Amino acid sequence: MAESSLTFDSVPAEKPARGSSTLVRVGKYTLVRGITLFITVVIGVYLTVLIANMGGYVDDIRRGEIQEQVSIRIMNDPALKNLPVEERRKRIAEEVALEERRLGLDQPFLIRSFRFLRNALTLHLGRAQLMTSDSGSRQVRLIILERLPTTLLLFGTSNLLLFFISLSIALGLSRKYGSLMDRVFVALSPTSAAPGWFYGIFLILVFAALLHWLPFGGMVDAPPPKDPLAYLLSVAKHMVLPVAALLLSAIFVSVYSWRTFFLIYSSEDYVEMARAKGLPDRMVERRYILRPTLPTIITSFALTLISLWTGAPIFETIFNWPGLGRTLFQAIGLFDTAVIVGSTVIFAYLLAATVFLLDIIYALVDPRVRIGGSGGRS
Amino acid sequence: MGSLQNTLRELRRYPSAMAGILVILGLVVFSAYTVITIPYEQAITLWRGGADIWYKLPKNVPPAWINTFRQKKLPESIILDSAQGQAEKTKEAMSSGQNMINLTYTFDFNADDFPRAMVIYFRPTFDEKSPFVSLTWTTPDGREIRLGDFAVEEGTVFRFEQDERLQRRLKRTIGDYPAQVALLMQPDSDPPTPLKGTYTLNISAVTFEEEADVDAEFIAYGKVYGIAGTDHARRDLKIALMWGAPVALAFGLLAALGTTITTMIIAAFGVWFSGWVDDLIQRVTEVNLMLPLLPILIMVGTFYSRSIWIMLGVTIALGIFGGSIKTYRAIFLQTRESPYIEAAQAYGAGDVRIVMRYLVPRIIPVIIPQLVTLIPTYVFLEASLAVLGLGDPILPTWGKVIQDSLANGALFKGLYYWVLEPAGLLMFTGLGFAMVGFALDRVFNPRLRGL
């Protein structure tokens, strides 16, 4: 349906001579955007480090790590087994001090902050104080990476659905402007003021608590089914409510704004002209309305994505979805600073990745980038 | 203010906008009423108060008005305190300084369900020898049931259901039910149905000192309470629900105003000075857009302070270089080329004057709808933080009520009122502002008019 109307029918190299230079331009644009985004992430992560470390929390994370490593090493050292406890404790303290000096914890903050930045950027996120990954590791990186796929699954599904459903509805409504459906969508658009988790509560209340049709939360049934197909079905069943909640919270306003957008564009002279030529409606829509507006649509979709991403901690908490957001929430509860900082860093990366992906698509559909027009900036 | 009147006249064409305005006005009046009737200090003491303040209220019960929609009426609490004169009190002197004090509590019971629990709090005054009381229960059909005889100290609490001797006696005579059921049921009814009518509880106390006295408070905890119900700590939800309104309004309004105005001015200066200033603003905006707002707020809340004002400050700070800078910039770029700007330059207006007097006013039509639609976003942001457990530690807010309810499994236990009341208020507020904002958008945006 909507996907067919989204194929950009002129992207394939109609003129082979131009094809390579288009690729170069898109590549260059992508590279520039990639670098910009990377710088953005660096700044974002540095800010995170600054915020987190103002109370000396990053230092605490590092010190805890050193303490643990050193104690384990000395406890397990057969040569030191026979030392009295007092002696051994003294030894640990000495080694910890040495290690701290080696890692530069006695250096001024400015220098250290850059080291933290490098560690964070390379995902050396330290060890969690209390939380463990499902495989039992204390590595923050493992804890987070383990939860990442589930978050991507939930938000990826709902965002793709949101994009295609609202685009196709918006196109349909702009065609039947003023119809009952159109008015219903316009009237319902203010409901998007509430975030996804809010609708989640209502959906859980109705479909889980009252009707018992769908599970309250979680990702699979309590003993996960052995059969892969059953497992998949179970996950799908658990995804119905969260996806519905996200859609419910965002669909009306995005349909409304895109429909309005299409309506404004469909009164442009060149569209009238195309109609006057007698081109079929679908072609007018695809070539004369959708094509020129696609870059804008993608930009606004990127913004929607960012806001949905950012809402993940609370959303996953409400639905008990074992993803990154809920990990962050649990980390707050346990005051596990390493995980909190680590999650924020990952979130910055995720946002950048989302925007980067959309930027590539943007470059592919924006004629200014493709043909090499004046500005390529969004 | 002719334009304002025009706007209002235009708005009247949108029924949703009028509804929204009514909601907003209602909220403002409600907030004012709240702040006047329950002053800040009092609200906080009440909300943070423990058992000493709230012991009279039942735990986790829905609001009383649900009885209107129920065929079987749930009982409300019955609270009778002899110290308040709610019981008939007689005192007669016996020999050698002993006194016989008689407390008679009479009440009607007409509900179709049993109370949650029944308790008597004793408040005797004596020096050395504690008074001795005997309790008798009289049902409407004239049966007299002995509840117990014991000495009462300061702080003695008689909990009907937890008194083993009473339970054993009731099991023999009436059946194996909790005391509050056995004492109020029709004999031999199964399942137990309450016997409606007038009940009497008699406490006769013997005191052994001239000055000694006995007062007691009888509470039959109901299954509904007040206008809003109660939570797990027996607190009246009314306080949090009422105080949530001014807090939400203040947070939403301040955050929206703070971010929009600063964003607008920054965008205007960027466009006007163009060059590196504009570039810098653009880049900072791009960086800022990538910052995960909620995780950062979570970090601030966890590491520094959960105070709502700190959160407000951080929200505004992170919102200054928000996505709307790009929208404003596009409009300013067009406006900059207008002839009247040239005219202003020609008469020698300075940069600041041009920006503040000529550029910024042009964007007001775009900004007002944006401002209004932003308010619910921030209202919900505050609620989100509260639901994550990072709500203001002192103030009662709607989000904190939702958090309490979710944390205590309200959805699993079927305590829907607990979730629905704050959620409904949030929705109400959000919709009110959003409806006005959307309508304003159409009024101020000529391109949207009629769409």
Side-chain angles (χ1 to χ4, degrees):
Chain A
M1 22 163 261
E3 283 161 81
S4 68
S5 61
L6 268 176
T7 48
F8 338 110
D9 30 6
S10 67
V11 171
E14 290 165 73
K15 297 171 190 165
R18 258 257 208 81
S20 64
S21 79
T22 300
L23 200 69
V24 169
R25 272 199 205 92
V26 170
K28 212 173 113 191
Y29 172 84
T30 312
L31 194 72
V32 170
R33 282 301 290 165
I35 294 170
T36 324
L37 280 172
F38 183 72
I39 295 171
T40 308
V41 171
V42 172
I43 298 175
V45 171
Y46 191 65
L47 278 178
T48 309
V49 169
L50 282 186
I51 294 175
N53 202 65
M54 242 180 260
Y57 286 100
V58 176
D59 287 349
D60 289 348
I61 300 171
R62 307 281 294 150
R63 287 216 176 87
E65 205 177 332
I66 293 168
Q67 181 83 35
E68 195 171 328
Q69 279 171 354
V70 170
S71 329
I72 289 175
R73 201 177 62 228
I74 290 184
M75 293 293 186
N76 291 338
D77 193 339
L80 302 172
K81 262 244 157 79
N82 297 327
L83 277 181
V85 182
E86 282 299 308
E87 198 68 13
R88 230 190 300 181
R89 214 171 271 157
K90 220 175 95 192
R91 184 114 185 191
I92 290 176
E94 275 167 16
E95 294 247 340
V96 164
L98 201 69
E99 189 79 347
E100 279 181 8
R101 210 161 43 239
R102 189 178 73 80
L103 288 170
L105 283 178
D106 52 348
Q107 280 168 352
F109 174 69
L110 198 67
I111 299 171
R112 272 183 297 137
S113 69
F114 285 107
R115 186 171 301 123
F116 297 141
L117 177 66
R118 199 189 59 214
N119 280 348
L121 284 174
T122 48
L123 295 186
H124 288 107
L125 300 171
R127 294 171 78 81
Q129 285 140 337
L130 297 161
M131 295 172 78
T132 54
S133 72
D134 289 345
S135 53
S137 167
R138 277 275 171 90
Q139 288 283 333
V140 172
R141 183 166 43 129
L142 290 182
I143 296 178
I144 289 173
L145 287 184
E146 199 178 65
R147 310 288 168 87
L148 193 56
T150 51
T151 296
L152 288 179
L153 173 69
L154 179 60
F155 283 86
T157 315
S158 22
N159 285 328
L160 281 180
L161 278 176
L162 176 69
F163 184 74
F164 289 119
I165 292 180
S166 50
L167 205 58
S168 58
I169 294 182
L171 264 181
L173 289 185
S174 74
R175 215 177 300 148
K176 292 192 220 90
Y177 153 65
S179 65
L180 182 68
M181 269 309 275
D182 186 37
R183 284 203 304 253
V184 166
F185 267 87
V186 172
L188 283 180
S189 53
T191 56
S192 298
W197 63 265
F198 191 75
Y199 289 104
I201 291 181
F202 284 112
L203 290 182
I204 293 176
L205 201 157
V206 174
F207 292 101
L210 281 176
L211 298 173
H212 297 291
W213 287 355
L214 291 160
F216 275 92
M219 196 177 80
V220 281
D221 286 331
K226 292 247 163 41
D227 179 34
L229 188 72
Y231 189 90
L232 217 65
L233 277 176
S234 174
V235 172
K237 193 175 74 185
H238 284 79
M239 273 176 70
V240 173
L241 283 188
V243 169
L246 275 182
L247 281 184
L248 203 60
S249 74
I251 200 159
F252 290 112
V253 79
S254 51
V255 165
Y256 169 75
S257 57
W258 286 351
R259 149 210 176 271
T260 313
F261 192 64
F262 290 145
L263 279 176
I264 290 172
Y265 263 81
S266 57
S267 57
E268 295 280 348
D269 291 342
Y270 57 84
V271 180
E272 304 283 343
M273 170 73 187
R275 286 227 171 81
K277 271 201 296 191
L279 290 180
D281 270 357
R282 288 206 72 84
M283 192 181 274
V284 173
E285 250 167 37
R286 218 191 301 166
R287 286 212 179 149
Y288 294 86
I289 301 178
L290 209 50
R291 270 283 297 292
T293 52
L294 214 46
T296 325
I297 290 175
I298 288 171
T299 313
S300 81
F301 185 60
L303 289 177
T304 322
L305 273 185
I306 289 178
S307 69
L308 286 183
W309 260 132
T310 322
I314 182 159
F315 191 78
E316 290 183 351
T317 306
I318 296 280
F319 279 103
N320 217 358
W321 187 263
L324 197 55
R326 203 178 57 130
T327 309
L328 180 54
F329 174 74
Q330 286 168 332
I332 303 170
L334 296 169
F335 213 81
D336 204 324
T337 40
V339 181
I340 296 178
V341 176
S343 309
T344 314
V345 171
I346 295 283
F347 265 107
Y349 264 120
L350 274 179
L351 285 182
T354 314
V355 173
F356 186 59
L357 206 68
L358 284 166
D359 263 341
I360 297 177
I361 302 175
Y362 184 94
L364 287 175
V365 297
D366 192 342
R368 280 175 305 182
V369 179
R370 226 178 50 239
I371 317 289
S374 49
R377 282 208 309 241
S378 52
Chain B
M1 288 305 272
S3 64
L4 191 71
Q5 273 176 358
N6 271 341
T7 312
L8 274 177
R9 203 173 307 131
E10 281 280 340
L11 268 186
R12 228 172 281 161
R13 283 179 33 224
Y14 299 95
S16 65
M18 293 321 285
I21 289 178
L22 278 183
V23 168
I24 296 173
L25 284 180
L27 276 171
V28 170
V29 172
F30 182 60
S31 305
Y33 173 78
T34 304
V35 178
I36 293 167
T37 49
I38 314 175
Y40 181 77
E41 298 294 331
Q42 192 190 342
I44 286 168
T45 4
L46 282 175
W47 193 246
R48 290 167 69 84
D52 48 329
I53 296 183
W54 296 111
Y55 74 93
K56 284 183 186 179
L57 268 52
K59 218 183 230 185
N60 277 342
V61 294
W65 47 261
I66 64 158
N67 267 340
T68 327
F69 308 103
R70 287 181 66 104
Q71 212 141 43
K72 290 196 153 201
K73 307 292 180 207
L74 295 173
E76 292 192 42
S77 292
I78 296 164
I79 304 172
L80 298 169
D81 190 353
S82 64
Q84 309 267 337
Q86 285 155 331
E88 211 176 300
K89 186 169 181 178
T90 57
K91 188 170 186 178
E92 55 186 276
M94 287 163 46
S95 57
S96 63
Q98 292 187 2
N99 278 315
M100 177 78 160
I101 297 171
N102 231 316
L103 301 172
T104 312
Y105 301 81
T106 316
F107 60 91
D108 289 326
F109 188 82
N110 290 317
D112 300 302
D113 200 346
F114 298 96
R116 174 141 313 158
M118 294 201 288
V119 175
I120 302 173
Y121 292 90
F122 289 97
R123 295 197 188 89
T125 41
F126 61 92
D127 284 328
E128 304 244 318
K129 196 155 169 28
S130 45
F132 192 84
V133 297
S134 349
L135 283 60
T136 335
W137 183 263
T138 316
T139 57
D141 52 5
R143 286 172 294 139
E144 262 195 26
I145 301 164
R146 196 164 62 93
L147 297 177
D149 319 272
F150 46 87
V152 289
E153 311 269 339
E154 179 66 47
T156 297
V157 182
F158 179 72
R159 297 178 198 279
F160 285 53
E161 194 186 355
Q162 288 167 19
D163 191 80
E164 277 185 32
R165 254 183 297 172
L166 173 63
Q167 280 298 155
R168 237 178 292 136
R169 210 170 315 132
L170 288 173
K171 189 177 173 184
R172 266 203 317 273
T173 51
I174 300 172
D176 193 4
Y177 301 109
Q180 71 271 19
V181 175
L183 289 173
L184 287 162
M185 69 188 269
Q186 292 174 14
D188 305 323
S189 61
D190 190 46
T193 37
L195 178 66
K196 296 179 186 179
T198 310
Y199 288 82
T200 329
L201 166 70
N202 188 277
I203 302 177
S204 57
V206 180
T207 59
F208 304 99
E209 289 158 11
E210 201 59 58
E211 293 301 310
D213 197 3
V214 172
D215 271 307
E217 186 174 20
F218 166 71
I219 301 177
Y221 291 108
K223 282 182 175 162
V224 290
Y225 178 80
I227 197 164
T230 61
D231 67 3
H232 61 301
R234 300 179 191 271
R235 294 178 295 194
D236 187 353
L237 285 178
K238 186 177 83 180
I239 291 168
L241 294 181
M242 284 175 77
W243 258 92
V247 174
L249 281 190
F251 190 88
L253 201 68
L254 287 178
L257 268 179
T259 50
T260 333
I261 291 176
T262 44
T263 306
M264 170 179 75
I265 291 174
I266 285 173
F269 274 104
V271 166
W272 184 245
F273 290 110
S274 63
W276 66 270
V277 181
D278 192 30
D279 266 350
L280 181 72
I281 291 175
Q282 290 265 83
R283 295 295 93 77
V284 172
T285 308
E286 271 156 27
V287 172
N288 193 46
L289 274 180
M290 306 287 305
L291 290 181
L293 172 66
L294 196 58
I296 288 184
L297 281 177
I298 288 172
M299 280 205 315
V300 172
T302 327
F303 295 157
Y304 300 104
S305 154
R306 294 178 179 190
S307 155
I308 197 166
W309 307 118
I310 301 272
M311 291 292 179
L312 182 67
V314 177
T315 311
I316 293 178
L318 288 172
I320 289 175
F321 289 94
S324 39
I325 273 197
K326 302 224 166 200
T327 324
Y328 301 159
R329 187 171 167 270
I331 300 166
F332 283 137
L333 277 177
Q334 279 175 5
T335 319
R336 193 179 60 184
E337 308 303 328
S338 319
Y340 78 96
I341 300 279
E342 219 174 314
Q345 267 180 304
Y347 84 71
D351 289 333
V352 176
R353 187 179 168 85
I354 289 181
V355 169
M356 300 308 277
R357 294 293 303 267
Y358 295 96
L359 274 180
V360 168
R362 272 300 282 261
I363 208 165
I364 299 283
V366 185
I367 234 169
I368 290 178
Q370 278 241 346
L371 182 93
V372 179
T373 22
L374 261 183
I375 293 174
T377 316
Y378 288 120
V379 170
F380 277 105
L381 180 70
E382 191 274 321
S384 303
L385 285 173
V387 172
L388 282 174
L390 295 173
D392 190 275
I394 304 170
L395 276 173
T397 67
W398 293 333
K400 277 174 82 181
V401 176
I402 297 185
Q403 195 240 341
D404 278 345
S405 70
L406 294 179
N408 289 287
L411 289 177
F412 300 100
K413 293 181 193 157
L415 307 168
Y416 303 132
Y417 71 96
W418 198 359
V419 187
L420 286 178
E421 285 170 5
L425 283 169
L426 271 173
M427 192 76 231
F428 198 61
T429 313
L431 270 184
F433 282 104
M435 286 193 296
V436 175
F438 274 71
L440 278 174
D441 200 21
R442 275 185 272 177
V443 170
F444 279 120
N445 268 341
R447 289 235 276 182
L448 293 177
R449 204 167 288 170
L451 289 185

